Amino acid sequence: MNKAYSLVALFASFVALPSYASVSEQDVFFDRIAAHCGQAFEGKITAGDSADSAFSGKKLVMHVRECSDTELKIPFHVGDDHSRTWIITKTDNGLRLKHDHRHQDGSEDKVTMYGGDTVASGTAELQSFPVDQFSIDNFNQNGLSQSVTNVWHVGINNDTYVYRLTRENRDFKVDFDLTKPVALPPVPWGHK
Protein backbone atom coordinates (compact mmCIF):
# COMPACT_ATOMS: atom_id res chain seq x y z
CA MET A 1 0.00 0.00 0.00
CA ASN A 2 1.21 3.48 -0.86
CA LYS A 3 2.51 5.16 2.34
CA ALA A 4 1.06 8.58 1.40
CA TYR A 5 -2.33 6.98 0.68
CA SER A 6 -2.35 5.13 4.02
CA LEU A 7 -1.62 8.40 5.88
CA VAL A 8 -4.46 10.15 4.02
CA ALA A 9 -6.81 7.25 4.79
CA LEU A 10 -5.76 7.29 8.45
CA PHE A 11 -6.33 11.07 8.67
CA ALA A 12 -9.71 10.77 6.93
CA SER A 13 -10.87 8.07 9.33
CA PHE A 14 -9.69 10.17 12.31
CA VAL A 15 -11.60 13.27 11.16
CA ALA A 16 -14.77 11.28 10.49
CA LEU A 17 -15.11 9.94 14.05
CA PRO A 18 -18.56 10.98 15.34
CA SER A 19 -17.30 11.93 18.81
CA TYR A 20 -15.07 14.63 17.36
CA ALA A 21 -17.89 16.02 15.19
CA SER A 22 -20.44 16.03 18.01
CA VAL A 23 -18.16 17.83 20.47
CA SER A 24 -17.29 20.45 17.89
CA GLU A 25 -20.88 21.10 16.77
CA GLN A 26 -22.22 21.17 20.31
CA ASP A 27 -19.40 23.39 21.56
CA VAL A 28 -20.06 25.89 18.78
CA PHE A 29 -23.80 25.79 19.55
CA PHE A 30 -23.15 26.35 23.28
CA ASP A 31 -20.70 29.18 22.59
CA ARG A 32 -23.14 30.91 20.22
CA ILE A 33 -25.67 31.16 23.03
CA ALA A 34 -23.02 32.16 25.59
CA ALA A 35 -21.96 35.03 23.32
CA HIS A 36 -25.26 36.71 24.29
CA CYS A 37 -24.62 36.41 28.03
CA GLY A 38 -26.06 39.36 29.91
CA GLN A 39 -28.54 40.23 27.19
CA ALA A 40 -32.31 39.79 26.92
CA PHE A 41 -34.46 39.41 23.82
CA GLU A 42 -38.17 39.55 23.07
CA GLY A 43 -39.91 36.68 21.32
CA LYS A 44 -43.13 35.77 19.63
CA ILE A 45 -45.03 32.52 19.27
CA THR A 46 -44.62 31.18 15.75
CA ALA A 47 -46.34 27.81 16.28
CA GLY A 48 -48.87 26.74 18.86
CA ASP A 49 -52.50 25.93 19.64
CA SER A 50 -55.08 26.32 22.43
CA ALA A 51 -52.78 24.44 24.83
CA ASP A 52 -50.51 27.47 24.70
CA SER A 53 -53.13 30.04 25.70
CA ALA A 54 -51.16 30.98 28.86
CA PHE A 55 -48.60 32.60 26.53
CA SER A 56 -51.07 34.51 24.33
CA GLY A 57 -50.96 38.28 24.52
CA LYS A 58 -48.06 38.28 27.00
CA LYS A 59 -44.63 39.80 26.54
CA LEU A 60 -42.15 36.92 26.06
CA VAL A 61 -38.55 37.63 27.04
CA MET A 62 -35.53 35.34 27.31
CA HIS A 63 -32.46 36.46 29.26
CA VAL A 64 -29.09 34.75 28.86
CA ARG A 65 -28.44 35.48 32.52
CA GLU A 66 -25.76 33.14 33.92
CA CYS A 67 -22.94 31.62 31.91
CA SER A 68 -20.02 29.38 32.80
CA ASP A 69 -17.84 27.10 30.69
CA THR A 70 -20.26 24.22 31.29
CA GLU A 71 -23.69 25.72 32.04
CA LEU A 72 -26.06 28.40 30.75
CA LYS A 73 -29.09 29.63 32.69
CA ILE A 74 -31.69 31.33 30.52
CA PRO A 75 -34.83 32.60 32.30
CA PHE A 76 -37.95 32.70 30.10
CA HIS A 77 -40.34 35.42 31.28
CA VAL A 78 -44.00 35.27 30.26
CA GLY A 79 -45.58 38.61 31.18
CA ASP A 80 -45.40 38.89 34.97
CA ASP A 81 -44.64 35.15 35.35
CA HIS A 82 -40.95 34.75 36.16
CA SER A 83 -41.13 31.04 37.05
CA ARG A 84 -39.21 29.44 34.18
CA THR A 85 -35.47 29.02 33.59
CA TRP A 86 -33.93 26.90 30.86
CA ILE A 87 -30.63 25.30 31.88
CA ILE A 88 -28.27 24.01 29.19
CA THR A 89 -25.38 21.96 30.57
CA LYS A 90 -22.42 20.25 28.94
CA THR A 91 -22.24 16.56 29.87
CA ASP A 92 -19.72 13.82 29.11
CA ASN A 93 -21.98 12.69 26.25
CA GLY A 94 -23.32 15.93 24.81
CA LEU A 95 -25.72 18.58 26.08
CA ARG A 96 -28.59 18.52 28.57
CA LEU A 97 -31.64 20.81 28.66
CA LYS A 98 -33.60 21.15 31.92
CA HIS A 99 -36.56 23.33 32.84
CA ASP A 100 -36.34 24.85 36.33
CA HIS A 101 -39.86 25.87 37.42
CA ARG A 102 -40.35 27.89 40.61
CA HIS A 103 -43.18 29.48 42.56
CA GLN A 104 -43.14 33.18 43.35
CA ASP A 105 -41.72 32.44 46.82
CA GLY A 106 -38.76 30.66 45.16
CA SER A 107 -39.82 27.13 46.05
CA GLU A 108 -39.67 24.45 43.38
CA ASP A 109 -42.79 23.51 41.47
CA LYS A 110 -43.69 19.81 41.68
CA VAL A 111 -43.09 19.64 37.92
CA THR A 112 -39.54 20.93 37.60
CA MET A 113 -36.10 19.98 36.31
CA TYR A 114 -37.64 18.08 33.42
CA GLY A 115 -35.97 17.84 30.04
CA GLY A 116 -33.52 15.55 28.31
CA ASP A 117 -30.10 14.95 26.80
CA THR A 118 -28.96 15.10 23.20
CA VAL A 119 -28.72 11.69 21.52
CA ALA A 120 -27.17 12.97 18.28
CA SER A 121 -24.48 15.51 17.48
CA GLY A 122 -26.97 18.01 16.06
CA THR A 123 -25.51 21.09 14.41
CA ALA A 124 -23.98 24.37 15.46
CA GLU A 125 -27.45 25.89 14.90
CA LEU A 126 -29.84 23.22 16.25
CA GLN A 127 -29.86 20.73 19.12
CA SER A 128 -32.70 18.36 20.10
CA PHE A 129 -33.39 16.99 23.57
CA PRO A 130 -35.70 13.94 23.82
CA VAL A 131 -37.46 13.49 27.16
CA ASP A 132 -35.43 11.59 29.77
CA GLN A 133 -36.64 8.95 32.24
CA PHE A 134 -36.63 11.34 35.22
CA SER A 135 -39.02 13.61 33.31
CA ILE A 136 -41.26 10.75 32.17
CA ASP A 137 -41.61 9.62 35.79
CA ASN A 138 -42.30 13.18 36.97
CA PHE A 139 -44.90 13.76 34.24
CA ASN A 140 -46.67 10.48 35.02
CA GLN A 141 -46.70 11.23 38.77
CA ASN A 142 -48.29 14.62 38.10
CA GLY A 143 -50.97 13.65 35.58
CA LEU A 144 -49.08 14.87 32.51
CA SER A 145 -48.88 11.61 30.58
CA GLN A 146 -49.32 13.51 27.30
CA SER A 147 -45.79 14.91 27.86
CA VAL A 148 -43.90 11.59 28.05
CA THR A 149 -42.89 11.79 24.38
CA ASN A 150 -41.74 15.43 24.46
CA VAL A 151 -38.76 16.51 22.40
CA TRP A 152 -37.38 19.99 22.96
CA HIS A 153 -35.40 21.77 20.28
CA VAL A 154 -33.19 24.82 20.70
CA GLY A 155 -31.90 26.70 17.69
CA ILE A 156 -29.66 29.70 17.22
CA ASN A 157 -28.35 31.62 14.23
CA ASN A 158 -27.13 35.18 13.83
CA ASP A 159 -30.63 36.66 14.04
CA THR A 160 -32.84 34.26 15.99
CA TYR A 161 -32.95 32.04 19.07
CA VAL A 162 -35.64 29.36 18.84
CA TYR A 163 -37.26 27.33 21.60
CA ARG A 164 -39.55 24.55 20.36
CA LEU A 165 -41.49 21.70 21.95
CA THR A 166 -42.80 18.87 19.79
CA ARG A 167 -44.77 15.70 20.45
CA GLU A 168 -47.76 14.00 18.86
CA ASN A 169 -50.48 16.63 18.29
CA ARG A 170 -48.31 19.42 19.73
CA ASP A 171 -45.91 21.88 18.16
CA PHE A 172 -45.06 24.96 20.22
CA LYS A 173 -42.40 27.38 19.06
CA VAL A 174 -41.13 30.78 20.15
CA ASP A 175 -38.68 32.80 18.06
CA PHE A 176 -36.57 35.47 19.80
CA ASP A 177 -35.06 38.36 17.83
CA LEU A 178 -31.34 38.44 18.63
CA THR A 179 -30.81 41.62 16.60
CA LYS A 180 -32.67 43.80 19.12
CA PRO A 181 -31.66 43.41 22.78
CA VAL A 182 -34.32 44.63 25.22
CA ALA A 183 -34.27 45.90 28.80
CA LEU A 184 -33.33 43.23 31.31
CA PRO A 185 -36.29 41.55 33.02
CA PRO A 186 -36.62 41.06 36.81
CA VAL A 187 -34.68 38.35 38.64
CA PRO A 188 -36.43 35.03 38.01
CA TRP A 189 -38.23 33.46 40.95
CA GLY A 190 -35.93 31.36 43.13
CA HIS A 191 -32.72 33.02 41.89
CA LYS A 192 -30.53 35.75 43.36
Side-chain angles (χ1 to χ4, degrees):
M1 180 183 279
N2 179 323
K3 189 173 187 176
Y5 174 78
S6 63
L7 287 175
V8 169
L10 176 64
F11 178 75
S13 67
F14 176 79
V15 173
L17 287 174
S19 62
Y20 289 99
S22 67
V23 169
S24 174
E25 293 293 307
Q26 291 174 341
D27 283 343
V28 172
F29 171 85
F30 186 95
D31 292 345
R32 290 179 90 170
I33 298 171
H36 297 284
C37 201
Q39 295 182 303
F41 305 95
E42 193 167 346
K44 62 181 179 184
I45 297 173
T46 55
D49 58 27
S50 61
D52 308 308
S53 61
F55 298 91
S56 298
K58 305 243 175 84
K59 186 173 184 177
L60 308 176
V61 176
M62 63 165 279
H63 178 195
V64 186
R65 187 170 187 270
E66 295 178 45
C67 307
S68 74
D69 291 341
T70 58
E71 186 175 81
L72 304 171
K73 290 187 178 179
I74 308 166
F76 174 39
H77 303 267
V78 180
D80 293 329
D81 181 342
H82 310 292
S83 64
R84 301 168 178 87
T85 300
W86 300 316
I87 303 172
I88 299 174
T89 307
K90 290 183 179 180
T91 69
D92 290 340
N93 300 313
L95 296 173
R96 173 173 295 140
L97 172 67
K98 289 290 183 170
H99 299 72
D100 182 356
H101 281 241
R102 304 290 180 114
H103 296 288
Q104 196 164 0
D105 66 3
S107 63
E108 289 187 346
D109 191 272
K110 63 183 178 180
V111 180
T112 191
M113 298 312 289
Y114 60 85
D117 292 4
T118 54
V119 294
S121 62
T123 71
E125 292 190 348
L126 181 64
Q127 294 291 322
S128 295
F129 305 87
V131 66
D132 61 21
Q133 191 60 52
F134 170 87
S135 304
I136 291 170
D137 294 344
N138 183 276
F139 291 147
N140 282 328
Q141 290 166 4
N142 289 288
L144 299 170
S145 59
Q146 72 276 13
S147 299
V148 300
T149 59
N150 281 2
V151 179
W152 296 273
H153 313 271
V154 177
I156 186 166
N157 60 36
N158 292 335
D159 301 326
T160 309
Y161 178 96
V162 176
Y163 171 85
R164 186 174 187 185
L165 162 65
T166 59
R167 66 173 180 250
E168 188 175 348
N169 300 317
R170 182 89 190 273
D171 187 355
F172 172 72
K173 187 171 116 175
V174 183
D175 291 354
F176 297 88
D177 185 352
L178 297 179
T179 67
K180 298 176 185 170
V182 298
L184 298 183
V187 173
W189 299 341
H191 296 264
K192 296 180 181 183

